[in-house]
Amino acid sequence: MSGIVGSRFNTRGSGLVGSLGSDGQVFTSSGAGVGAVFETASSAITTPAFGATQSGTVSGVGDGSISKILCDTEIFDTDSAYDPSTNYRFTVPSGGAGKYIFYWCAKIRSATLHNLRASEILLRENGSTICSNNASYNQNLALQYFSTAFWVVDSAEDDYYEVFGQPSVDSGTGDINNGRFFGFRLAE
């Protein structure tokens, strides 16, 4: 039997039984044949952190044009470092330098049926592209494509990060919607 019995935790078939932990503890193991135990979780700090979504659509983006993904609805922002109304970007606050992981995504589509030749989403640091994810459909044009990407970067105070999209269409224009932009400092 596995599960919780009284104040003890039993792992099926392992023969190992441990006590239950308390708030703020995690279940850890030192390896095979060693009893797993609850230990106090590390106090790793992963802030600043932010998350924002795009509420509207950037329409009429020309073939090959790069347009900012306007993530204008904050989900969370621990240090008020994300600007959801003017620049739509995250700026590393004072004391926030370190390694960050960023995740961004968006749906890029052709404004007319099946004219999307390629799509790309980009992450820019201080105005320069540092990472992008692209897809090409030259043989079979698409209506839309949902692109996702993530990147880890060393950041200094006052560095800023923005996300962009680029549709390549056979004719007409492209649209960018369903954008998401998240980031947080990694514990060191």
Side-chain angles (χ1 to χ4, degrees):
M1 175 176 169
S2 66
I4 299 172
V5 180
S7 63
R8 311 225 0 118
F9 182 79
N10 181 15
T11 306
R12 179 184 300 264
S14 71
L16 302 175
V17 178
S19 299
L20 291 178
S22 59
D23 285 346
Q25 291 188 317
V26 295
F27 195 56
T28 64
S29 171
S30 297
V34 179
V37 296
F38 282 93
E39 298 177 327
T40 302
S42 71
S43 58
I45 298 172
T46 58
T47 59
F50 73 96
T53 63
Q54 178 184 12
S55 65
T57 297
V58 178
S59 299
V61 181
D63 176 47
S65 295
I66 297 173
S67 184
K68 188 179 284 192
I69 300 171
L70 307 177
C71 294
D72 57 351
T73 305
E74 281 186 332
I75 298 170
F76 61 93
D77 186 1
T78 63
D79 291 65
S80 299
Y82 183 79
D83 176 3
S85 59
T86 307
N87 294 312
Y88 310 98
R89 66 185 183 198
F90 170 76
T91 303
V92 177
S94 176
K99 285 187 181 0
Y100 280 78
I101 187 166
F102 292 105
Y103 167 83
W104 66 106
C105 62
K107 180 172 38 172
I108 298 178
R109 58 179 289 133
S110 62
T112 56
L113 191 61
H114 299 285
N115 281 322
L116 187 64
R117 184 173 52 258
S119 63
E120 184 170 20
I121 56 173
L122 308 96
L123 174 66
R124 289 187 174 173
E125 176 187 62
N126 303 325
S128 298
T129 300
I130 58 171
C131 183
S132 67
N133 180 15
N134 59 35
S136 177
Y137 327 102
N138 287 329
Q139 299 302 318
N140 296 301
L141 298 179
L143 169 63
Q144 62 191 16
Y145 187 73
F146 192 81
S147 296
T148 62
F150 68 93
W151 193 247
V152 177
V153 62
D154 279 316
S155 301
E157 291 178 7
D158 296 323
D159 282 347
Y160 66 90
Y161 298 88
E162 309 164 287
V163 291
F164 292 80
Q166 179 183 21
S168 294
V169 293
D170 257 8
S171 64
T173 60
D175 298 332
I176 303 169
N177 59 20
N178 292 337
R180 308 282 185 264
F181 186 26
F182 294 85
F184 62 91
R185 184 173 62 184
L186 296 171
E188 294 190 37

